[in-house]
Amino acid sequence: RAKEAGRNGFQFFTQEMQNRLDARVTLEQGLLRALQRDEFVLHYQPQIDLASGRVIGLEALLRWQSPELGLVPPMQFIPVAEESNLITAIGSWVLDKACATLRKWIDAGVPVVPVAVNVAASQFSHQSLEPMLQEMLEKYDLEPSLLEFELTESLSMDDPEASIALMHRLKAVGIAMAIDDFGTGYSNLSYLKRFPVDKLKIDQSFTRGLVNDAEDRSIVTAVIRLAHSLGLRTIAEGVETEGQLRLLAAQGCDEIQGYYFSRPLPEVGMVAMLKSGVVMDLGVLR
Ligand code: C2E
Ligand code: MG
Ligand code: MG
Ligand code: MG
């Protein structure tokens, strides 16, 4: 019986593997076509300064507007893009689009704020990132201070010295850098000390637990203290409720991002928001 089960298990396993491989190949082909047919779009989510209530930055978030599948969220295709070499091309598209959009907004008189772009680990270690960045800044005639890179903790671990060197060169160009999803990666604090980053993004899993989970609250408190003692700003991701906002403000968190203030918006919605000069009501914190 055991032998039989084993054989069935094995057959199931290979079929399962084949299916997954097929799905992956289909997705890879879809992503390649998406690039060729220009089916990607960026949505933008505001980042709010808790001292002023103002929108002080935006995060550019990628979506795939597929004719067959509809609007596909990044978690459904970024991992596959990362495993194939597609992430480099997709990453270039994202940076180009973010820069082109900033230039378009500036020319149209929209009051712009810096735009943060997510940079995948494999993209970060790729030779092309630095020249590509220089090319975009020149092509769209943008101040580097209008761009921020969001990096994850894992990016630096293959070759930490090379990552640190690249970060310093990006910093010298004038790009701001944030560590995304802070606390969920390797959290090697000795490297954190050497990363020339400007901001820690507190992962939304900690934000989610803030009100009901004492341990999440302790972690958030500690991360904010750590960041401040290293001279870094903090932004909490995934802020959805007033309760979370209050606790974050009480702990001295500098900025928030989340549905509480706004979901990521398509370009037109973001332009309207920037033009409106909307300020978050800080009265709830009193
Ligand atoms: P992330 O960089 O940590 O982005 C934050 C994610 O949280 C976004 O999901 C955003 O829509 C979502 N979010 C924001 N506020 C809230 C909230 O209040 N509640 C909840 N539940 N979620 C909130 P999204 O847009 O689906 O992106 C998921 C991830 O995909 C991103 O996580 C990032 O790691 C990756 N990603 C997105 N765009 C790009 C890109 O252009 N390049 C790369 N390499 N990765 C990207
Ligand atoms: Mg991010
Ligand atoms: Mg994040
Ligand atoms: Mg995340």
Side-chain angles (χ1 to χ4, degrees):
R1 285 215 58 193
K3 207 170 180 183
E4 207 174 8
R7 196 161 29 187
N8 286 340
F10 185 70
Q11 281 170 355
F12 173 76
F13 186 60
T14 51
Q15 188 56 50
E16 171 76 17
M17 274 181 73
Q18 188 60 49
N19 290 347
R20 254 191 284 166
L21 195 63
D22 290 349
R24 195 188 138 153
V25 169
T26 305
L27 185 54
E28 276 183 33
Q29 287 165 347
L31 292 174
L32 194 58
R33 257 199 333 267
L35 275 169
Q36 290 158 350
R37 297 193 207 148
D38 204 22
E39 291 171 358
F40 288 113
V41 286
L42 291 181
H43 284 189
Y44 299 89
Q45 189 177 35
Q47 302 177 325
I48 312 304
D49 175 33
L50 288 184
S52 65
R54 290 182 189 284
V55 176
I56 57 163
L58 310 178
E59 179 174 8
L61 293 158
L62 183 62
R63 278 98 184 82
W64 173 19
Q65 185 68 66
S66 160
E68 295 87 19
L69 306 170
L71 198 64
V72 186
M75 288 329 262
Q76 283 175 30
F77 63 87
I78 290 281
V80 169
E82 280 214 63
E83 284 167 33
S84 62
N85 51 9
L86 282 169
I87 193 66
T88 315
I90 294 175
S92 309
W93 183 90
V94 170
L95 191 57
D96 188 281
K97 190 65 175 185
C99 290
T101 304
L102 271 167
R103 172 42 59 200
K104 189 171 71 179
W105 288 350
I106 293 168
D107 290 346
V110 177
V112 294
V113 292
V115 173
V117 171
N118 291 282
V119 178
S122 47
Q123 197 191 346
F124 192 76
S125 55
H126 201 276
Q127 302 284 335
S128 62
L129 184 64
E130 224 182 330
M132 183 177 73
L133 170 68
Q134 295 282 7
E135 186 196 315
M136 302 293 172
L137 291 174
E138 274 169 41
K139 181 169 154 195
Y140 296 110
D141 188 22
L142 292 177
E143 296 291 334
S145 59
L146 280 175
L147 273 187
E148 180 171 272
F149 281 171
E150 293 193 3
L151 316 169
T152 58
E153 290 164 284
S154 60
L155 70 81
S156 45
M157 287 356 249
D158 300 338
D159 188 349
E161 295 307 323
S163 296
I164 292 168
L166 176 53
M167 284 186 195
H168 277 287
R169 293 199 301 277
L170 293 172
K171 182 88 189 162
V173 171
I175 301 294
M177 278 172 286
I179 304 276
D180 207 347
D181 306 336
F182 186 77
T184 62
Y186 296 96
S187 296
N188 187 324
L189 297 179
S190 66
Y191 285 128
L192 182 61
K193 187 179 87 171
R194 298 180 54 209
F195 290 164
V197 296
D198 305 276
K199 211 195 257 190
L200 296 187
K201 298 196 77 174
I202 298 168
D203 189 68
Q204 45 184 284
S205 60
F206 302 121
T207 306
R208 204 173 302 130
L210 260 178
V211 176
N212 295 315
D213 186 328
E215 285 163 350
D216 282 334
R217 204 151 56 236
S218 300
I219 290 171
V220 168
T221 303
V223 169
I224 293 170
R225 288 230 190 104
L226 171 69
H228 288 170
S229 64
L230 292 171
L232 309 177
R233 282 173 72 82
T234 49
I235 179 165
E237 301 191 280
V239 179
E240 295 185 354
T241 68
E242 195 181 298
Q244 292 165 346
L245 171 67
R246 284 175 188 281
L247 285 168
L248 288 161
Q251 296 303 329
C253 188
D254 302 287
E255 302 171 25
I256 60 151
Q257 181 180 340
Y259 298 170
Y260 175 78
F261 185 76
S262 171
R263 289 181 173 258
L265 301 172
E267 198 184 313
V268 276
M270 187 43 76
V271 166
M273 181 182 283
L274 289 172
K275 282 184 175 166
S276 77
V278 61
V279 175
M280 189 177 77
D281 179 13
L282 296 171
V284 298
L285 299 178
R286 268 177 233 125

